Amino acid sequence: MDAICTEGLTKRYGRARGIEGVSLAVARGDVFGFIGPNGAGKSTTIRALLGLVRPSAGRGLIFGLDIGKDRERILARVGYLPAEAAFWPGMRVREVLRLSADLRRRRCGKAAEALCERLRLDPSRRVEELSFGDRKKAAIVCAMQHEPELLILDEPTGGLDPLMQREFFAILRERNQAGATVFLSSHILSEVQHNCSRAAIIREGRIIASGSVKELSRTGAKRVSVRGAMDCGALSGVRDLHTSPGSMDFLYGGSMKSLLRAAAAGDIRDITITEPDLEEVFLHYYGEGGGGA
């Protein structure tokens, strides 16, 4: 049984874009990346999974439980980190963490203390005094302290400095090795490439690619670096073109025969053709101007 399974999940907001026909399968024990720029539909998908918004069509299951009918049973097994956390003013961090644990009828004091120490979060501070990064840390502890079976994390590293990002992903790996499934939404492609085994790319509310991170990198597109000069004007499939005196670099998804013909007609001293990384794959799928705001 998959941890998450959706079939044709759709949410419409009148004329505004939501999500359309989202179908996903996230295996138990997986670390799954959900990739897309802001406005692509990542947060709407997550809210639908958690029962925070009602789908217009389609269905979703978490651990085999229906996201509409079994919301309370699902939430008992999930830790959710929203992209932006909000807390009641006047409360101290320790009170926020205790309230979160009490709502779940769990005792999480030791786990919360350990997480605060690792994330360098002072539990005695009032929430209105916290920086954006410290608010994110408090939300991370709320999501993780009860050791859920499934972690759903929406843009989890926003506001964290590089050292805290490293510590956060170390904690995430430990939880995954202990059996937790992780669903991680991000527009930071290196996070997904370095920490996820499988991923899906969402564009304008629709899934446009899904598979292992390695499979997603096999799009047929290549990164081409040229020393010298060549005319790319007649080539189709050139994207992300960067030029400087004596060199050029671009992502290429067209005919290799056409590329070599153009190179032979130019003044080439050296040419390197390599496999793209995930960020370049993302450009291959979105193209110039794709993806929306």
Side-chain angles (χ1 to χ4, degrees):
M1 181 192 302
D2 288 329
I4 299 174
C5 178
T6 69
E7 297 176 358
L9 196 64
T10 298
K11 176 60 181 178
R12 303 186 184 97
Y13 298 99
R15 294 183 179 180
R17 186 175 71 227
I19 55 174
E20 190 74 32
V22 169
S23 296
L24 288 170
V26 179
R28 284 182 181 243
D30 204 354
V31 181
F32 192 95
F34 197 40
I35 313 168
N38 294 332
K42 303 188 302 297
S43 294
T44 299
T45 302
I46 286 173
R47 292 178 186 130
L49 287 172
L50 294 171
L52 301 177
V53 298
R54 180 175 296 179
S56 306
R59 66 192 296 259
L61 302 173
I62 293 182
F63 298 123
L65 301 172
D66 186 272
I67 60 174
K69 299 175 183 177
D70 303 307
R71 180 186 172 195
E72 290 187 12
R73 293 172 64 192
I74 288 171
L75 293 179
R77 301 168 68 177
V78 172
Y80 168 49
L81 175 66
E84 295 187 12
F87 304 108
W88 288 106
M91 297 183 73
R92 298 188 185 275
V93 171
R94 67 166 62 94
E95 294 169 335
V96 170
L97 302 181
R98 189 180 304 122
L99 173 62
S100 178
D102 289 346
L103 290 171
R104 295 180 177 278
R105 299 182 177 89
R106 299 284 297 275
R107 291 187 176 182
C108 305
K110 289 185 178 180
E113 182 180 353
L115 286 166
C116 285
E117 184 175 346
R118 292 184 67 172
L119 294 171
R120 300 180 186 175
L121 175 65
D122 183 354
S124 68
R125 294 186 64 190
R126 294 188 182 277
V127 293
E128 60 265 30
E129 300 171 351
L130 299 179
S131 65
F132 177 66
D134 281 342
R135 289 200 304 274
K136 181 59 68 77
K137 293 176 187 179
I140 290 171
V141 179
C142 286
M144 291 187 171
Q145 65 178 348
H146 60 293
E147 300 182 352
E149 297 173 61
L150 172 64
L151 284 163
I152 296 181
L153 312 172
D154 193 1
E155 302 286 354
T157 59
L160 300 182
D161 65 44
L163 288 176
M164 285 299 100
Q165 290 180 24
R166 184 184 304 175
E167 186 64 27
F168 167 75
F169 281 112
I171 296 169
L172 210 59
R173 284 192 295 273
E174 292 167 13
R175 295 299 176 93
N176 177 244
Q177 289 166 3
T181 304
V182 179
F183 185 85
L184 188 154
S185 161
S186 181
H187 67 275
I188 302 173
L189 303 177
S190 60
E191 288 186 350
V192 173
Q193 185 159 18
H194 296 151
N195 297 286
C196 300
S197 55
R198 298 181 63 79
I201 298 175
I202 187 168
R203 173 178 180 170
E204 297 180 352
R206 297 178 182 271
I207 301 296
I208 58 173
S210 181
S212 73
V213 171
K214 289 183 179 179
E215 287 170 349
L216 289 176
S217 297
R218 300 191 189 108
T219 62
K222 305 291 182 183
R223 171 57 62 180
V224 180
S225 300
V226 173
R227 289 175 56 203
M230 61 179 283
D231 182 11
C232 294
L235 290 175
S236 61
V238 173
R239 294 178 179 173
D240 192 32
L241 174 63
H242 301 277
T243 61
S244 59
S247 67
M248 63 176 59
D249 185 88
F250 54 91
L251 190 66
Y252 182 66
S255 162
M256 191 59 63
K257 186 180 294 185
S258 298
L259 173 66
L260 296 178
R261 189 180 299 120
D267 181 17
I268 300 297
R269 295 190 301 277
D270 189 24
I271 184 169
T272 303
I273 303 173
T274 59
E275 294 292 331
D277 63 19
L278 189 57
E279 187 162 356
E280 293 166 328
V281 169
F282 191 77
L283 287 170
H284 172 79
Y285 280 116
Y286 269 78
E288 294 183 5

